[in-house]
Amino acid sequence: MVQMKRQPKHPGDILKEDYLKPLSITVQNMASTLGVSRKTLSKIVNGRGTVTPDMALRLSRAFDTTPDLWLNLQKNYDLWHAAHDSILWKNVQPIFRTTLPGNTQDGIAL
């Protein structure tokens, strides 16, 4: 697994720095445009909320981007934090598959 060394930006940071500020759009006005509450958008912009598929669709429509852009930003942010905030996932042992159907390895049917 290739891990990013540097923490990716939260999608809310991208939204704020690359879209809202340059276009002089307030959170209240953007929330109204997106059809969501100011509180919902404020949570995202301040890094306390996540970009859901619904929000990704709204943002992509408003800024003529793709929903994948917003979802990938969120995914990268979430994966980085999952990999760095806990080490419990490292305790999981890989399951190796064999090429022949019905073979077992260490007593586990694959």
Side-chain angles (χ1 to χ4, degrees):
M1 177 171 129
V2 177
Q3 289 188 10
M4 292 175 45
K5 296 190 188 296
R6 201 170 34 149
Q7 177 180 343
K9 285 191 169 201
H10 188 278
D13 290 335
I14 305 294
L15 177 59
K16 179 172 38 178
E17 298 300 325
D18 294 348
Y19 292 91
L20 299 183
K21 281 186 179 180
L23 296 172
S24 299
I25 301 173
T26 65
V27 171
Q28 179 64 47
N29 288 341
M30 191 71 232
S32 178
T33 298
L34 295 173
V36 299
S37 71
R38 181 204 52 77
K39 183 177 179 179
T40 297
L41 188 59
S42 180
K43 285 169 114 178
I44 293 170
V45 168
N46 292 305
R48 293 187 312 272
T50 61
V51 173
T52 63
D54 177 68
M55 182 60 76
L57 288 167
R58 292 169 189 256
L59 290 169
S60 68
R61 178 85 170 196
F63 294 116
D64 194 27
T65 61
T66 66
D68 292 330
L69 167 74
W70 300 102
L71 291 175
N72 284 331
L73 289 169
Q74 186 67 56
K75 176 196 66 158
N76 291 338
Y77 180 84
D78 291 343
L79 278 174
W80 190 91
H81 278 279
H84 289 84
D85 293 349
S86 171
I87 60 168
L88 295 176
W89 63 272
K90 292 181 180 180
N91 295 332
V92 176
Q93 298 300 312
I95 299 173
F96 298 99
R97 297 184 182 261
T98 60
T99 56
L100 300 174
N103 282 356
T104 61
Q105 184 173 358
D106 296 327
I108 300 173
L110 302 176

